[in-house]
Amino acid sequence: MKIEGAIKDYTGKDLARTFKQLQPSPQRQSALINQDFKTLMSEGYVIIENLISASQCEQIKQQCAPLLKHTGRNTFEGEKTQRLYNVLGKTRCIDDLADHPRILGLMDLLFRPNYLLSQSQVINILPGESKQAFHYDDSFYQIPRPRPPLGAASIWAIDDFTEQNGATVVIPRSQEWDGDRYPADEKTIKAVMPAGSAIFFLGTTWHGGGENQSNQSRLAVTHQYCEAFLRQQENYLLELDKDTVRCLSPELRSLVGYSIYPPFMGMVDGKHPLRLLD
């Protein structure tokens, strides 16, 4: 991608010495990822089934259950929906979802290197919750539509997503809409999928949480990402102390902000932020 205003031999290059940009693992490149990306760019979303095991889902449930104490403060958060913020500061149980190679493989194709994690949440939709208002996730970047996405998101089914229990509702191809178009009677898709699966969609794709008409809760994990030159929704540099960051994978350290967008965005005292962990 052409970088506007580039300075020859400076802008866009990795100038670091000790802490070079991380190179993607081989698992982040495959024919499956290429096909998923084709679907993503055509439909605005892609559903990928059975990415994590039943035992991983159960572990996430057990570790998150004691942390889910409060319901939402408004109808958008969900008055019958429990949300856990600052998840990376409270548990390590969803780290593998944030840096999963099938998801980062899509991100590698979508954004420039050293893209960031924008926010992470655990979301538990309780019985009787109404449907969430349709929205698109990168709307706070107030750049007119139609435009390329500036964000993207994964939503992981920790419980089965069903027609009845609040499966995420997506409007196919809505990533192509201009800024004057809003959801009305368009065709919608419910992200029905077994536990351990994920739906990944563009930041410009209209979607919303579904209505929970069942008698059981529906647990999910979401990770949102953004281009490296944009502000994250979640301020990980204040939330996560250095000891916590040292426990993260190299990929996750980079995602939360211990990385550089060439030539110098993200520096600390003129140096790479990873030096703070020495």
Side-chain angles (χ1 to χ4, degrees):
M1 180 183 294
K2 180 182 178 183
I3 302 176
E4 296 296 330
I7 302 171
K8 186 179 179 181
D9 297 328
Y10 188 61
T11 306
K13 287 196 172 184
D14 184 1
L15 302 178
R17 295 179 180 176
T18 303
F19 297 104
K20 286 290 187 180
Q21 176 178 296
L22 285 175
Q23 296 303 305
S25 67
Q27 291 77 20
R28 286 161 59 173
Q29 301 177 33
S30 70
L32 282 174
I33 291 172
N34 291 340
Q35 183 57 53
D36 289 340
F37 185 73
K38 184 178 179 180
T39 300
L40 172 69
M41 300 309 290
S42 171
E43 300 299 315
Y45 73 97
V46 61
I47 295 174
I48 313 172
E49 295 192 350
N50 302 315
L51 289 179
I52 60 173
S53 67
S55 62
Q56 285 177 284
C57 290
E58 186 59 33
Q59 181 184 33
I60 291 170
K61 289 181 187 180
Q62 290 179 3
Q63 293 194 29
C64 289
L67 303 174
L68 289 164
K69 300 176 181 179
H70 305 290
T71 52
R73 296 162 289 189
N74 50 59
T75 55
F76 186 81
E77 282 190 330
E79 293 173 346
K80 294 183 179 179
T81 296
Q82 297 171 317
R83 290 180 183 262
L84 179 63
Y85 294 99
N86 187 22
V87 189
L88 300 186
K90 297 171 181 174
T91 175
R92 302 270 60 81
C93 71
I94 66 166
D95 288 7
D96 291 346
L97 280 58
D99 62 9
H100 194 284
R102 284 289 291 275
I103 299 299
L104 295 192
L106 290 172
M107 291 297 307
D108 293 340
L109 296 172
L110 185 62
F111 289 161
R112 300 174 193 178
N114 286 351
Y115 48 80
L116 297 169
L117 193 62
S118 184
Q119 73 159 320
S120 302
Q121 289 184 39
V122 176
I123 303 173
N124 195 37
I125 297 182
L126 303 176
E129 180 63 281
S130 57
K131 64 181 180 180
Q132 187 185 39
F134 281 116
H135 61 284
Y136 60 97
D137 282 342
D138 67 6
S139 60
F140 41 79
Y141 300 127
Q142 296 184 15
I143 300 173
R145 295 177 60 125
R147 58 167 170 76
L150 299 170
S154 61
I155 297 180
W156 293 77
I158 308 306
D159 291 313
D160 291 340
F161 276 31
T162 71
E163 292 278 352
Q164 292 76 35
N165 74 355
T168 303
V169 181
V170 181
I171 302 179
R173 304 199 174 189
S174 56
Q175 80 277 10
E176 301 172 354
W177 293 1
D178 63 27
D180 295 324
R181 186 171 176 182
Y182 293 88
D185 298 323
E186 286 82 12
K187 178 183 177 182
T188 61
I189 297 293
K190 287 187 177 181
V192 173
M193 53 185 174
S197 306
I199 178 172
F200 185 85
F201 51 86
L202 303 174
T204 45
T205 300
W206 286 84
H207 67 282
E211 179 182 8
N212 190 348
Q213 299 174 316
S214 75
N215 58 5
Q216 295 182 323
S217 60
R218 188 230 71 181
L219 187 64
V221 169
T222 182
H223 292 294
Q224 295 187 18
Y225 306 83
C226 66
E227 287 273 24
F229 52 85
L230 296 170
R231 183 169 185 175
Q232 299 150 280
Q233 297 173 74
E234 194 167 351
N235 195 326
Y236 293 104
L237 298 181
L238 291 180
E239 286 181 343
L240 307 179
D241 60 38
K242 292 178 185 178
D243 287 338
T244 298
V245 175
R246 291 187 184 100
C247 296
L248 304 180
S249 70
E251 289 79 11
L252 201 45
R253 288 180 197 168
S254 177
L255 284 166
V256 299
Y258 282 75
S259 54
I260 292 289
Y261 177 67
F264 51 69
M265 290 180 69
M267 68 178 178
V268 179
D269 195 21
K271 302 178 182 69
H272 197 291
L274 280 173
R275 290 184 180 276
L276 296 177
L277 303 181
D278 290 343

